[in-house]
Amino acid sequence: LIRPAPRPPRARGVPHPPYENPAMSTIAHLINGEIVFRSGRTTAVYNPALGAAIRQVELADASTVQQAIEAAQAAFPAWRNTPPAKRAQVMFRFKQLLEANKDKIAALISEEHGKTLEDALGELQRGIENVEYACGAPELLKGEYNRNVGPAIDSWSDFQPLGVVAGITPFNFPAMVPLWMYPLAIVCGNCFILKPSERDPSSTLLIAELLHEAGLPKGVLNVVNGDKAAVDALIEAPEVKAISFVGSTPIAEYIYREANKHGKRVQALGGAKNHAVVLPDADLDNAVNALMGAAYGSCGERCMAISVVVAVGDQVADALIERLVPKIQALKIGAGTACGLDMGPLVSAAARDKVKGYIDAGVAQGARLVVDGRQRVVPGCEDGYFVGGTLFDQVTPQMSIYQEEIFGPVLCVVRAASLEQAMQLINDHEYGNGTCLFTRDGEAARLFCDEIEVGMVGVNVPLPVPVSYHSFGGWKRSLFGDLHAYGPDGVRFYTKRKTITQRWPQRASHEAAQFAFPSNG
Ligand code: NAD
């Protein structure tokens, strides 16, 4: 890669030059409200539909991260004391700018990630809903108050910001997952450093620029692009008080452990293996349509994707497969930036090879390969990272395609004899992000919701991603930490509680020393 000369900072809100300019150029950092180029390491950013590098992104070193931390620290005192209603006003303008620029943002997501434009618009809309929630800052930060907790004593709890906090995000939702984090952290009075995925950084950076255009003071949000070096610098910096992470389980576990060691508050959301259970009384046609979207949408690169169907009874399994096969074969696959498609490519050559490797392993381990997507070629995109929709039957819990997160368009059918057996499978799995039951039986649904060891549960809802005023989080090895992402848990995560107990004695009163522990007894 030839690195062109650094470009001068450009007007905010304008799409990145490389989007309009075929010459390879470099995505830089956004620090203290300015685009910052540092001539350090870079890595290529690809268009996965073409299998070609289209630009490069800078990889921050520790000194660049430190520059962002210093900008955030300098901005904190004034931002902390800015009334929440004024902070919220920035978010109202931000929401409008996101809506006005949605097509531009979706095009960048689609170009670098590969997902379809419709899917990119969907993720952006869910991100905007998090901005809408953050617009409620004055209400969210109201605190709690009690009068007369003792004689003439009043008490209240405040939710105060932590200071400088950081977020580290995955490639698969370059718009939505950062928007889970910083709008809420910022309206709570914190200053934020975002380390997005280095694989598709352009839409994330454009969105951060729009927030500045909405009136965010410099230094309140900083974006440093990078890899492990930048992440480790954030973990080690004593000025960073909390880290939100979303990504794969091994990295989530690493970040949780290391950031804890450095005394930080951490929420680290990890990978998944989401099961759907189909009971004999389910509306099979609806279940199949729901499964198609949940398994193959975004090429299976969603942490809430359904990757296992547990069919209760052989009749259900056979009927499901019969209906799924023609639909999988008819999936419209192509470059995500084209319209009207069901599925784009995987994000990288490595992801494609990994998914194909799992399909090979499934065959070798004895699963029945019903639809094979390995040879799928898209005319005009012969070098793209495509894998077609794939379906396995007769999958057992011992197989790697069952145990591990494939993160591709591969659906595994497991056959179970009863709902209880299906639930046992799910409860025994190391992941517990999402799950769904298809049924018309209310009693079965209630049992499932009560007893299943999973954080987000759907009943006839295949992707039960909580809305912005609930919180998002899995159980078991899908989340390390105590608080889930965004919503009410997000407010708790990004604030610390201070409880004030206050008494103003009447001037004339005189009280003797009390040596017993104060109580209302
Ligand atoms: P990833 O773990 O490879 O990367 C996530 C982030 O961590 C990126 O910013 C990356 O730069 C950084 N990173 C990567 N390796 C690192 C290392 N060794 N040390 C420090 N930082 C490192 O994940 P990904 O491939 O970008 O995203 C896909 C994964 O994310 C899947 O496992 C998916 O299930 C998961 N995910 C989970 C959720 C959730 O809410 N639970 C949501 C989206 C994605």
Side-chain angles (χ1 to χ4, degrees), residues 479-498:
L479 183 140
F480 302 87
D482 306 305
L483 292 169
H484 289 195
Y486 68 76
D489 269 20
V491 177
R492 283 293 162 102
F493 184 78
Y494 293 123
T495 56
K496 53 191 170 186
R497 179 184 288 252
K498 182 180 279 179

mmCIF file of all heavy atoms in Angstrom, residues 479-498:
data_model
loop_
_atom_site.group_PDB
_atom_site.id
_atom_site.type_symbol
_atom_site.label_atom_id
_atom_site.label_comp_id
_atom_site.label_asym_id
_atom_site.label_seq_id
_atom_site.Cartn_x
_atom_site.Cartn_y
_atom_site.Cartn_z
ATOM 1 N N LEU A 479 -21.259 -12.654 28.141
ATOM 2 C CA LEU A 479 -21.065 -11.334 28.758
ATOM 3 C C LEU A 479 -20.231 -11.483 30.024
ATOM 4 O O LEU A 479 -20.519 -12.326 30.872
ATOM 5 C CB LEU A 479 -22.403 -10.687 29.104
ATOM 6 C CG LEU A 479 -22.301 -9.266 29.680
ATOM 7 C CD1 LEU A 479 -23.383 -8.352 29.138
ATOM 8 C CD2 LEU A 479 -22.369 -9.249 31.201
ATOM 9 N N PHE A 480 -19.207 -10.655 30.122
ATOM 10 C CA PHE A 480 -18.379 -10.614 31.325
ATOM 11 C C PHE A 480 -18.648 -9.257 31.984
ATOM 12 O O PHE A 480 -18.443 -8.213 31.349
ATOM 13 C CB PHE A 480 -16.898 -10.776 30.979
ATOM 14 C CG PHE A 480 -16.628 -12.067 30.242
ATOM 15 C CD1 PHE A 480 -16.744 -12.136 28.860
ATOM 16 C CD2 PHE A 480 -16.308 -13.225 30.934
ATOM 17 C CE1 PHE A 480 -16.524 -13.317 28.173
ATOM 18 C CE2 PHE A 480 -16.083 -14.424 30.266
ATOM 19 C CZ PHE A 480 -16.194 -14.468 28.879
ATOM 20 N N GLY A 481 -19.083 -9.288 33.205
ATOM 21 C CA GLY A 481 -19.438 -8.044 33.891
ATOM 22 C C GLY A 481 -20.836 -8.170 34.456
ATOM 23 O O GLY A 481 -21.485 -9.209 34.320
ATOM 24 N N ASP A 482 -21.305 -7.126 35.084
ATOM 25 C CA ASP A 482 -22.586 -7.200 35.788
ATOM 26 C C ASP A 482 -23.702 -6.477 35.060
ATOM 27 O O ASP A 482 -24.849 -6.895 35.116
ATOM 28 C CB ASP A 482 -22.422 -6.599 37.186
ATOM 29 C CG ASP A 482 -21.280 -7.256 37.915
ATOM 30 O OD1 ASP A 482 -21.306 -8.493 38.014
ATOM 31 O OD2 ASP A 482 -20.349 -6.552 38.346
ATOM 32 N N LEU A 483 -23.362 -5.380 34.404
ATOM 33 C CA LEU A 483 -24.407 -4.564 33.797
ATOM 34 C C LEU A 483 -24.444 -4.777 32.289
ATOM 35 O O LEU A 483 -23.408 -4.876 31.636
ATOM 36 C CB LEU A 483 -24.149 -3.084 34.105
ATOM 37 C CG LEU A 483 -24.332 -2.705 35.580
ATOM 38 C CD1 LEU A 483 -23.816 -1.308 35.852
ATOM 39 C CD2 LEU A 483 -25.810 -2.799 35.976
ATOM 40 N N HIS A 484 -25.654 -4.840 31.758
ATOM 41 C CA HIS A 484 -25.830 -5.016 30.315
ATOM 42 C C HIS A 484 -25.585 -3.681 29.606
ATOM 43 O O HIS A 484 -25.368 -2.649 30.249
ATOM 44 C CB HIS A 484 -27.243 -5.535 30.045
ATOM 45 C CG HIS A 484 -27.437 -6.960 30.477
ATOM 46 N ND1 HIS A 484 -28.501 -7.727 30.083
ATOM 47 C CD2 HIS A 484 -26.691 -7.755 31.276
ATOM 48 C CE1 HIS A 484 -28.403 -8.937 30.613
ATOM 49 N NE2 HIS A 484 -27.308 -8.980 31.346
ATOM 50 N N ALA A 485 -25.609 -3.732 28.277
ATOM 51 C CA ALA A 485 -25.320 -2.522 27.491
ATOM 52 C C ALA A 485 -26.587 -1.682 27.318
ATOM 53 O O ALA A 485 -27.705 -2.210 27.299
ATOM 54 C CB ALA A 485 -24.784 -2.926 26.125
ATOM 55 N N TYR A 486 -26.440 -0.437 27.166
ATOM 56 C CA TYR A 486 -27.446 0.616 26.898
ATOM 57 C C TYR A 486 -28.681 0.519 27.804
ATOM 58 O O TYR A 486 -28.725 -0.290 28.735
ATOM 59 C CB TYR A 486 -27.776 0.735 25.409
ATOM 60 C CG TYR A 486 -28.516 -0.405 24.690
ATOM 61 C CD1 TYR A 486 -29.887 -0.597 24.861
ATOM 62 C CD2 TYR A 486 -27.846 -1.228 23.785
ATOM 63 C CE1 TYR A 486 -30.574 -1.591 24.166
ATOM 64 C CE2 TYR A 486 -28.523 -2.220 23.071
ATOM 65 C CZ TYR A 486 -29.885 -2.412 23.277
ATOM 66 O OH TYR A 486 -30.559 -3.381 22.591
ATOM 67 N N GLY A 487 -29.664 1.395 27.562
ATOM 68 C CA GLY A 487 -30.880 1.394 28.371
ATOM 69 C C GLY A 487 -30.559 1.691 29.834
ATOM 70 O O GLY A 487 -29.523 2.279 30.160
ATOM 71 N N PRO A 488 -31.433 1.269 30.736
ATOM 72 C CA PRO A 488 -31.237 1.572 32.164
ATOM 73 C C PRO A 488 -29.895 1.070 32.715
ATOM 74 O O PRO A 488 -29.248 1.767 33.509
ATOM 75 C CB PRO A 488 -32.402 0.849 32.842
ATOM 76 C CG PRO A 488 -33.404 0.632 31.765
ATOM 77 C CD PRO A 488 -32.688 0.552 30.464
ATOM 78 N N ASP A 489 -29.456 -0.121 32.274
ATOM 79 C CA ASP A 489 -28.146 -0.610 32.746
ATOM 80 C C ASP A 489 -27.021 0.284 32.246
ATOM 81 O O ASP A 489 -26.015 0.471 32.925
ATOM 82 C CB ASP A 489 -27.884 -2.039 32.251
ATOM 83 C CG ASP A 489 -28.377 -3.090 33.232
ATOM 84 O OD1 ASP A 489 -29.232 -2.749 34.075
ATOM 85 O OD2 ASP A 489 -27.914 -4.248 33.146
ATOM 86 N N GLY A 490 -27.179 0.832 31.052
ATOM 87 C CA GLY A 490 -26.157 1.725 30.489
ATOM 88 C C GLY A 490 -26.003 2.970 31.357
ATOM 89 O O GLY A 490 -24.874 3.417 31.618
ATOM 90 N N VAL A 491 -27.117 3.518 31.806
ATOM 91 C CA VAL A 491 -27.039 4.700 32.684
ATOM 92 C C VAL A 491 -26.281 4.331 33.953
ATOM 93 O O VAL A 491 -25.400 5.068 34.400
ATOM 94 C CB VAL A 491 -28.455 5.220 33.027
ATOM 95 C CG1 VAL A 491 -28.370 6.398 33.996
ATOM 96 C CG2 VAL A 491 -29.192 5.627 31.756
ATOM 97 N N ARG A 492 -26.594 3.193 34.511
ATOM 98 C CA ARG A 492 -25.885 2.750 35.732
ATOM 99 C C ARG A 492 -24.398 2.546 35.460
ATOM 100 O O ARG A 492 -23.555 2.898 36.267
ATOM 101 C CB ARG A 492 -26.483 1.432 36.252
ATOM 102 C CG ARG A 492 -27.793 1.621 36.974
ATOM 103 C CD ARG A 492 -27.564 2.377 38.260
ATOM 104 N NE ARG A 492 -28.790 2.951 38.772
ATOM 105 C CZ ARG A 492 -29.487 2.428 39.769
ATOM 106 N NH1 ARG A 492 -29.094 1.344 40.351
ATOM 107 N NH2 ARG A 492 -30.584 3.027 40.185
ATOM 108 N N PHE A 493 -24.092 1.963 34.303
ATOM 109 C CA PHE A 493 -22.687 1.669 34.009
ATOM 110 C C PHE A 493 -21.876 2.948 33.891
ATOM 111 O O PHE A 493 -20.738 3.010 34.350
ATOM 112 C CB PHE A 493 -22.562 0.841 32.716
ATOM 113 C CG PHE A 493 -21.149 0.427 32.432
ATOM 114 C CD1 PHE A 493 -20.566 -0.635 33.124
ATOM 115 C CD2 PHE A 493 -20.371 1.119 31.519
ATOM 116 C CE1 PHE A 493 -19.242 -1.002 32.899
ATOM 117 C CE2 PHE A 493 -19.048 0.766 31.285
ATOM 118 C CZ PHE A 493 -18.483 -0.295 31.986
ATOM 119 N N TYR A 494 -22.445 3.961 33.273
ATOM 120 C CA TYR A 494 -21.683 5.182 32.996
ATOM 121 C C TYR A 494 -21.798 6.234 34.103
ATOM 122 O O TYR A 494 -21.404 7.381 33.901
ATOM 123 C CB TYR A 494 -22.115 5.793 31.658
ATOM 124 C CG TYR A 494 -21.752 4.923 30.469
ATOM 125 C CD1 TYR A 494 -22.715 4.478 29.581
ATOM 126 C CD2 TYR A 494 -20.425 4.541 30.240
ATOM 127 C CE1 TYR A 494 -22.375 3.683 28.487
ATOM 128 C CE2 TYR A 494 -20.086 3.744 29.157
ATOM 129 C CZ TYR A 494 -21.057 3.315 28.288
ATOM 130 O OH TYR A 494 -20.727 2.524 27.217
ATOM 131 N N THR A 495 -22.386 5.861 35.243
ATOM 132 C CA THR A 495 -22.464 6.820 36.354
ATOM 133 C C THR A 495 -22.058 6.136 37.649
ATOM 134 O O THR A 495 -22.132 4.911 37.774
ATOM 135 C CB THR A 495 -23.905 7.347 36.541
ATOM 136 O OG1 THR A 495 -24.784 6.237 36.729
ATOM 137 C CG2 THR A 495 -24.367 8.182 35.376
ATOM 138 N N LYS A 496 -21.627 6.947 38.592
ATOM 139 C CA LYS A 496 -21.442 6.396 39.931
ATOM 140 C C LYS A 496 -22.401 7.115 40.865
ATOM 141 O O LYS A 496 -22.684 8.299 40.719
ATOM 142 C CB LYS A 496 -19.992 6.503 40.388
ATOM 143 C CG LYS A 496 -19.383 7.859 40.301
ATOM 144 C CD LYS A 496 -17.891 7.790 40.532
ATOM 145 C CE LYS A 496 -17.264 9.132 40.196
ATOM 146 N NZ LYS A 496 -15.830 9.140 40.252
ATOM 147 N N ARG A 497 -22.872 6.351 41.808
ATOM 148 C CA ARG A 497 -23.889 6.863 42.717
ATOM 149 C C ARG A 497 -23.230 7.607 43.862
ATOM 150 O O ARG A 497 -22.232 7.136 44.423
ATOM 151 C CB ARG A 497 -24.678 5.667 43.243
ATOM 152 C CG ARG A 497 -25.751 5.987 44.211
ATOM 153 C CD ARG A 497 -26.343 4.682 44.675
ATOM 154 N NE ARG A 497 -27.134 4.074 43.608
ATOM 155 C CZ ARG A 497 -28.458 4.020 43.637
ATOM 156 N NH1 ARG A 497 -29.126 4.473 44.664
ATOM 157 N NH2 ARG A 497 -29.114 3.468 42.646
ATOM 158 N N LYS A 498 -23.759 8.732 44.178
ATOM 159 C CA LYS A 498 -23.318 9.442 45.388
ATOM 160 C C LYS A 498 -24.572 9.697 46.221
ATOM 161 O O LYS A 498 -25.558 10.238 45.707
ATOM 162 C CB LYS A 498 -22.652 10.763 45.004
ATOM 163 C CG LYS A 498 -22.139 11.525 46.198
ATOM 164 C CD LYS A 498 -21.477 12.825 45.770
ATOM 165 C CE LYS A 498 -20.060 12.598 45.286
ATOM 166 N NZ LYS A 498 -19.422 13.865 44.839
#
